[in-house]
Amino acid sequence: MTGRETTEEPATGHRSPGAPGPVAAGAPAGAGTAGDPGTDTAAASAATAATPAATPAATGADAPAPAPRRRRARTALVVVAAIGVAAAAGLAATGALGGENPRAPAAGPSGPAATARVERTTLTSSETVQGTLGYGDVTTVQAIGPPGGDASADAGTGAPAQNGAPEPDPGGDAAGEGAGIVTWMPDEGTTIERGDTVYAVDGAEIPLFYGETPLYRTLADGSEGGDVEMLERNLAKLGYTGFTVDATYTPGTAAAVSAWQADTGREETGAAGPGDAVTADGARRVAGVQTWPGARAEGAVLDWTGTERVVTVELDAQFEDLVRVGTQAAIELPNGTAVDGEVTAIGTPPTAGSPASGGAGGGGGEGEEDEAAALPLRLEVARQDELGRYQAAPVDVVLSADTREDVLAVPVNALVARQGGGYAVQKVTAGGTEYVPVELGMFADGLVEVSGDGVAEGMSVGVPK
């Protein structure tokens, strides 16, 4: 038997006329035969799977058996078929291959996700503004003349014993001769009450008297006026007697003054002068000390404030109609707690060009206009203990803008916009739901006032979950 015959002997069939021949070993996938260049691998594989395998042409070398390629072709066909089945299933699920399944369940619930009740309540709208917690305005105490000295030069000048008093000329002989030496000063944070020492000069105590009229002149037997009454009232409160509290300085008053002078370490003259006491409308807290023992008793001595913590607000002019003296407000502290406050003073906004506004004579920038539009407010807190240990802190002040009592309200998210305008709520009953048109009123605290036919207290309405 020849080599050619030996090579062809394993063949079990023959290629029918026109059938594609086998792909030569090493040919690229998809390449056709020499006799049929347009036939691709897939077609060839399909044809090969349908007919017995043909023996490749003898070349003098053994050709690889075609069985592995047929297995790969079958695997590809199985994968393609599986993909096709999955795609068809997906299309059927989305309805792309036909109409809806009449037995398919309805999409989504027919009612709302959650419900709420129409409630009868009081709504209060408010504005929150920024404020500052502290001890209020700081004022400066000035030293006025030597205590117990000849104050006749100051008589009738009206120079107050504190804020705004003229400072003596430190270079003048009068200043050098008249001013004593500071011998004691209080500590910062000290509370000074009626009769307590504000500072001491040459060993003499300068006490605090309560009153609106300062000691601005020398008072002696026969003097009359409001400053006399202020002096007598304070002496009476401190326990001195022998006089009647009125506007007339009598010998009894002079005797009481002499006793007071002896108790405070000064010469017993029976007359009172500008350097003998400092006046204020109540107790004071020392905010800062501006002099020290050993210095001349002239000029600024110390700064002080009130003793109770207050809240100050620079209110934007657009909210001016929300406040008046007596307006109640909630004050929210940095730790999140709230305390009750009351507006006790309303100032006037500074005008552009005034010292308070930072301007100078009428020129003005945007900053000056903004500051001029602010309205100063002062709020007092009756329950000081509720402020905790805060001495100075930024706070939020909640001002009530308007209040509506005995109104029906629903959560804001219960509103449903209607076509053509307006709003409705989705009324929920055992038998189903319906949309009820409503008129809107005040919005406050996540609620909105509603009214209209069919709206009743306790009615169940749909809201988002």
PDB file of all heavy atoms in Angstrom, residues 26-56:
ATOM      1  N   GLY A  26      -4.027  25.643  10.818  1.00  0.00           N
ATOM      2  CA  GLY A  26      -3.325  26.927  10.978  1.00  0.00           C
ATOM      3  C   GLY A  26      -3.998  28.073  10.287  1.00  0.00           C
ATOM      4  O   GLY A  26      -3.563  29.204  10.401  1.00  0.00           O
ATOM      5  N   ALA A  27      -5.079  27.874   9.540  1.00  0.00           N
ATOM      6  CA  ALA A  27      -5.782  28.992   8.879  1.00  0.00           C
ATOM      7  C   ALA A  27      -6.497  29.816   9.918  1.00  0.00           C
ATOM      8  O   ALA A  27      -7.007  29.293  10.895  1.00  0.00           O
ATOM      9  CB  ALA A  27      -6.778  28.431   7.863  1.00  0.00           C
ATOM     10  N   PRO A  28      -6.617  31.132   9.707  1.00  0.00           N
ATOM     11  CA  PRO A  28      -7.301  31.981  10.672  1.00  0.00           C
ATOM     12  C   PRO A  28      -8.765  31.672  10.751  1.00  0.00           C
ATOM     13  O   PRO A  28      -9.377  31.280   9.776  1.00  0.00           O
ATOM     14  CB  PRO A  28      -7.042  33.404  10.164  1.00  0.00           C
ATOM     15  CG  PRO A  28      -6.763  33.230   8.709  1.00  0.00           C
ATOM     16  CD  PRO A  28      -6.069  31.919   8.568  1.00  0.00           C
ATOM     17  N   ALA A  29      -9.317  31.903  11.950  1.00  0.00           N
ATOM     18  CA  ALA A  29     -10.754  31.640  12.132  1.00  0.00           C
ATOM     19  C   ALA A  29     -11.552  32.490  11.192  1.00  0.00           C
ATOM     20  O   ALA A  29     -11.301  33.663  11.026  1.00  0.00           O
ATOM     21  CB  ALA A  29     -11.142  31.895  13.597  1.00  0.00           C
ATOM     22  N   GLY A  30     -12.580  31.882  10.576  1.00  0.00           N
ATOM     23  CA  GLY A  30     -13.464  32.612   9.683  1.00  0.00           C
ATOM     24  C   GLY A  30     -12.956  32.622   8.258  1.00  0.00           C
ATOM     25  O   GLY A  30     -13.621  33.127   7.373  1.00  0.00           O
ATOM     26  N   ALA A  31     -11.799  32.086   7.947  1.00  0.00           N
ATOM     27  CA  ALA A  31     -11.287  32.095   6.570  1.00  0.00           C
ATOM     28  C   ALA A  31     -11.970  31.011   5.776  1.00  0.00           C
ATOM     29  O   ALA A  31     -12.153  29.897   6.235  1.00  0.00           O
ATOM     30  CB  ALA A  31      -9.772  31.892   6.588  1.00  0.00           C
ATOM     31  N   GLY A  32     -12.387  31.287   4.511  1.00  0.00           N
ATOM     32  CA  GLY A  32     -13.041  30.297   3.677  1.00  0.00           C
ATOM     33  C   GLY A  32     -12.029  29.384   3.002  1.00  0.00           C
ATOM     34  O   GLY A  32     -10.834  29.592   3.057  1.00  0.00           O
ATOM     35  N   THR A  33     -12.553  28.378   2.293  1.00  0.00           N
ATOM     36  CA  THR A  33     -11.693  27.465   1.545  1.00  0.00           C
ATOM     37  C   THR A  33     -11.289  28.112   0.260  1.00  0.00           C
ATOM     38  O   THR A  33     -11.839  29.128  -0.150  1.00  0.00           O
ATOM     39  CB  THR A  33     -12.439  26.158   1.265  1.00  0.00           C
ATOM     40  OG1 THR A  33     -13.563  26.462   0.458  1.00  0.00           O
ATOM     41  CG2 THR A  33     -12.901  25.508   2.564  1.00  0.00           C
ATOM     42  N   ALA A  34     -10.349  27.488  -0.389  1.00  0.00           N
ATOM     43  CA  ALA A  34      -9.882  28.058  -1.656  1.00  0.00           C
ATOM     44  C   ALA A  34     -10.968  28.063  -2.679  1.00  0.00           C
ATOM     45  O   ALA A  34     -11.076  28.961  -3.502  1.00  0.00           O
ATOM     46  CB  ALA A  34      -8.667  27.257  -2.155  1.00  0.00           C
ATOM     47  N   GLY A  35     -11.839  27.048  -2.611  1.00  0.00           N
ATOM     48  CA  GLY A  35     -12.895  26.997  -3.596  1.00  0.00           C
ATOM     49  C   GLY A  35     -14.078  27.842  -3.241  1.00  0.00           C
ATOM     50  O   GLY A  35     -14.909  28.126  -4.091  1.00  0.00           O
ATOM     51  N   ASP A  36     -14.195  28.264  -1.975  1.00  0.00           N
ATOM     52  CA  ASP A  36     -15.382  29.037  -1.548  1.00  0.00           C
ATOM     53  C   ASP A  36     -14.957  30.071  -0.518  1.00  0.00           C
ATOM     54  O   ASP A  36     -15.153  29.933   0.664  1.00  0.00           O
ATOM     55  CB  ASP A  36     -16.410  28.083  -0.944  1.00  0.00           C
ATOM     56  CG  ASP A  36     -17.741  28.790  -0.707  1.00  0.00           C
ATOM     57  OD1 ASP A  36     -17.853  29.980  -1.100  1.00  0.00           O
ATOM     58  OD2 ASP A  36     -18.644  28.166  -0.117  1.00  0.00           O
ATOM     59  N   PRO A  37     -14.309  31.166  -0.932  1.00  0.00           N
ATOM     60  CA  PRO A  37     -13.771  32.149   0.006  1.00  0.00           C
ATOM     61  C   PRO A  37     -14.815  32.838   0.844  1.00  0.00           C
ATOM     62  O   PRO A  37     -14.506  33.430   1.850  1.00  0.00           O
ATOM     63  CB  PRO A  37     -13.040  33.137  -0.908  1.00  0.00           C
ATOM     64  CG  PRO A  37     -13.727  33.016  -2.227  1.00  0.00           C
ATOM     65  CD  PRO A  37     -14.129  31.580  -2.341  1.00  0.00           C
ATOM     66  N   GLY A  38     -16.054  32.818   0.515  1.00  0.00           N
ATOM     67  CA  GLY A  38     -17.081  33.536   1.283  1.00  0.00           C
ATOM     68  C   GLY A  38     -17.625  32.764   2.450  1.00  0.00           C
ATOM     69  O   GLY A  38     -18.453  33.268   3.179  1.00  0.00           O
ATOM     70  N   THR A  39     -17.242  31.537   2.626  1.00  0.00           N
ATOM     71  CA  THR A  39     -17.800  30.731   3.715  1.00  0.00           C
ATOM     72  C   THR A  39     -17.045  31.020   4.990  1.00  0.00           C
ATOM     73  O   THR A  39     -15.835  30.948   5.029  1.00  0.00           O
ATOM     74  CB  THR A  39     -17.684  29.244   3.357  1.00  0.00           C
ATOM     75  OG1 THR A  39     -18.316  29.035   2.113  1.00  0.00           O
ATOM     76  CG2 THR A  39     -18.333  28.385   4.433  1.00  0.00           C
ATOM     77  N   ASP A  40     -17.764  31.347   6.088  1.00  0.00           N
ATOM     78  CA  ASP A  40     -17.097  31.639   7.363  1.00  0.00           C
ATOM     79  C   ASP A  40     -17.057  30.404   8.239  1.00  0.00           C
ATOM     80  O   ASP A  40     -17.609  29.368   7.891  1.00  0.00           O
ATOM     81  CB  ASP A  40     -17.754  32.802   8.097  1.00  0.00           C
ATOM     82  CG  ASP A  40     -19.202  32.515   8.389  1.00  0.00           C
ATOM     83  OD1 ASP A  40     -19.603  31.339   8.312  1.00  0.00           O
ATOM     84  OD2 ASP A  40     -19.930  33.480   8.708  1.00  0.00           O
ATOM     85  N   THR A  41     -16.419  30.554   9.371  1.00  0.00           N
ATOM     86  CA  THR A  41     -16.196  29.408  10.252  1.00  0.00           C
ATOM     87  C   THR A  41     -17.491  28.844  10.775  1.00  0.00           C
ATOM     88  O   THR A  41     -17.677  27.635  10.870  1.00  0.00           O
ATOM     89  CB  THR A  41     -15.298  29.826  11.413  1.00  0.00           C
ATOM     90  OG1 THR A  41     -14.095  30.352  10.888  1.00  0.00           O
ATOM     91  CG2 THR A  41     -14.989  28.654  12.338  1.00  0.00           C
ATOM     92  N   ALA A  42     -18.424  29.726  11.168  1.00  0.00           N
ATOM     93  CA  ALA A  42     -19.692  29.251  11.720  1.00  0.00           C
ATOM     94  C   ALA A  42     -20.445  28.397  10.725  1.00  0.00           C
ATOM     95  O   ALA A  42     -20.990  27.353  11.062  1.00  0.00           O
ATOM     96  CB  ALA A  42     -20.532  30.434  12.174  1.00  0.00           C
ATOM     97  N   ALA A  43     -20.510  28.877   9.454  1.00  0.00           N
ATOM     98  CA  ALA A  43     -21.220  28.118   8.424  1.00  0.00           C
ATOM     99  C   ALA A  43     -20.522  26.805   8.179  1.00  0.00           C
ATOM    100  O   ALA A  43     -21.147  25.758   8.017  1.00  0.00           O
ATOM    101  CB  ALA A  43     -21.309  28.931   7.134  1.00  0.00           C
ATOM    102  N   ALA A  44     -19.205  26.861   8.156  1.00  0.00           N
ATOM    103  CA  ALA A  44     -18.455  25.642   7.923  1.00  0.00           C
ATOM    104  C   ALA A  44     -18.686  24.653   9.050  1.00  0.00           C
ATOM    105  O   ALA A  44     -18.841  23.457   8.828  1.00  0.00           O
ATOM    106  CB  ALA A  44     -16.961  25.955   7.781  1.00  0.00           C
ATOM    107  N   SER A  45     -18.727  25.160  10.284  1.00  0.00           N
ATOM    108  CA  SER A  45     -18.955  24.270  11.414  1.00  0.00           C
ATOM    109  C   SER A  45     -20.320  23.643  11.346  1.00  0.00           C
ATOM    110  O   SER A  45     -20.498  22.463  11.638  1.00  0.00           O
ATOM    111  CB  SER A  45     -18.809  25.059  12.726  1.00  0.00           C
ATOM    112  OG  SER A  45     -17.507  25.591  12.809  1.00  0.00           O
ATOM    113  N   ALA A  46     -21.319  24.432  10.974  1.00  0.00           N
ATOM    114  CA  ALA A  46     -22.673  23.886  10.855  1.00  0.00           C
ATOM    115  C   ALA A  46     -22.735  22.809   9.794  1.00  0.00           C
ATOM    116  O   ALA A  46     -23.377  21.774   9.981  1.00  0.00           O
ATOM    117  CB  ALA A  46     -23.660  25.007  10.559  1.00  0.00           C
ATOM    118  N   ALA A  47     -22.079  23.060   8.639  1.00  0.00           N
ATOM    119  CA  ALA A  47     -22.091  22.065   7.552  1.00  0.00           C
ATOM    120  C   ALA A  47     -21.345  20.822   7.964  1.00  0.00           C
ATOM    121  O   ALA A  47     -21.752  19.700   7.679  1.00  0.00           O
ATOM    122  CB  ALA A  47     -21.475  22.666   6.287  1.00  0.00           C
ATOM    123  N   THR A  48     -20.268  21.002   8.638  1.00  0.00           N
ATOM    124  CA  THR A  48     -19.466  19.858   9.064  1.00  0.00           C
ATOM    125  C   THR A  48     -20.234  19.003  10.040  1.00  0.00           C
ATOM    126  O   THR A  48     -20.204  17.782  10.007  1.00  0.00           O
ATOM    127  CB  THR A  48     -18.159  20.344   9.705  1.00  0.00           C
ATOM    128  OG1 THR A  48     -17.465  21.149   8.779  1.00  0.00           O
ATOM    129  CG2 THR A  48     -17.293  19.164  10.127  1.00  0.00           C
ATOM    130  N   ALA A  49     -20.985  19.705  10.990  1.00  0.00           N
ATOM    131  CA  ALA A  49     -21.775  18.941  11.963  1.00  0.00           C
ATOM    132  C   ALA A  49     -22.876  18.158  11.292  1.00  0.00           C
ATOM    133  O   ALA A  49     -23.319  17.135  11.799  1.00  0.00           O
ATOM    134  CB  ALA A  49     -22.348  19.879  13.006  1.00  0.00           C
ATOM    135  N   ALA A  50     -23.362  18.576  10.111  1.00  0.00           N
ATOM    136  CA  ALA A  50     -24.475  17.913   9.416  1.00  0.00           C
ATOM    137  C   ALA A  50     -24.020  16.763   8.540  1.00  0.00           C
ATOM    138  O   ALA A  50     -24.836  15.979   8.086  1.00  0.00           O
ATOM    139  CB  ALA A  50     -25.248  18.920   8.576  1.00  0.00           C
ATOM    140  N   THR A  51     -22.750  16.618   8.201  1.00  0.00           N
ATOM    141  CA  THR A  51     -22.251  15.570   7.308  1.00  0.00           C
ATOM    142  C   THR A  51     -21.087  14.860   7.966  1.00  0.00           C
ATOM    143  O   THR A  51     -20.446  15.394   8.853  1.00  0.00           O
ATOM    144  CB  THR A  51     -21.768  16.173   5.988  1.00  0.00           C
ATOM    145  OG1 THR A  51     -20.735  17.116   6.274  1.00  0.00           O
ATOM    146  CG2 THR A  51     -22.904  16.889   5.275  1.00  0.00           C
ATOM    147  N   PRO A  52     -20.807  13.633   7.521  1.00  0.00           N
ATOM    148  CA  PRO A  52     -19.648  12.924   8.055  1.00  0.00           C
ATOM    149  C   PRO A  52     -18.390  13.702   7.783  1.00  0.00           C
ATOM    150  O   PRO A  52     -18.276  14.427   6.803  1.00  0.00           O
ATOM    151  CB  PRO A  52     -19.653  11.572   7.322  1.00  0.00           C
ATOM    152  CG  PRO A  52     -21.063  11.414   6.847  1.00  0.00           C
ATOM    153  CD  PRO A  52     -21.566  12.785   6.579  1.00  0.00           C
ATOM    154  N   ALA A  53     -17.399  13.516   8.663  1.00  0.00           N
ATOM    155  CA  ALA A  53     -16.143  14.241   8.496  1.00  0.00           C
ATOM    156  C   ALA A  53     -15.431  13.769   7.258  1.00  0.00           C
ATOM    157  O   ALA A  53     -15.398  12.589   6.942  1.00  0.00           O
ATOM    158  CB  ALA A  53     -15.266  14.033   9.741  1.00  0.00           C
ATOM    159  N   ALA A  54     -14.839  14.703   6.553  1.00  0.00           N
ATOM    160  CA  ALA A  54     -14.071  14.383   5.339  1.00  0.00           C
ATOM    161  C   ALA A  54     -12.602  14.338   5.689  1.00  0.00           C
ATOM    162  O   ALA A  54     -12.124  15.055   6.547  1.00  0.00           O
ATOM    163  CB  ALA A  54     -14.333  15.419   4.245  1.00  0.00           C
ATOM    164  N   THR A  55     -11.881  13.506   4.942  1.00  0.00           N
ATOM    165  CA  THR A  55     -10.448  13.375   5.160  1.00  0.00           C
ATOM    166  C   THR A  55      -9.744  14.491   4.441  1.00  0.00           C
ATOM    167  O   THR A  55      -9.994  14.742   3.279  1.00  0.00           O
ATOM    168  CB  THR A  55      -9.944  12.023   4.639  1.00  0.00           C
ATOM    169  OG1 THR A  55     -10.673  10.993   5.301  1.00  0.00           O
ATOM    170  CG2 THR A  55      -8.452  11.864   4.886  1.00  0.00           C
ATOM    171  N   PRO A  56      -8.892  15.208   5.123  1.00  0.00           N
ATOM    172  CA  PRO A  56      -8.173  16.284   4.430  1.00  0.00           C
ATOM    173  C   PRO A  56      -7.291  15.733   3.354  1.00  0.00           C
ATOM    174  O   PRO A  56      -6.877  14.583   3.387  1.00  0.00           O
ATOM    175  CB  PRO A  56      -7.367  16.945   5.575  1.00  0.00           C
ATOM    176  CG  PRO A  56      -7.249  15.887   6.625  1.00  0.00           C
ATOM    177  CD  PRO A  56      -8.467  15.050   6.519  1.00  0.00           C
TER     178      PRO A  56
END
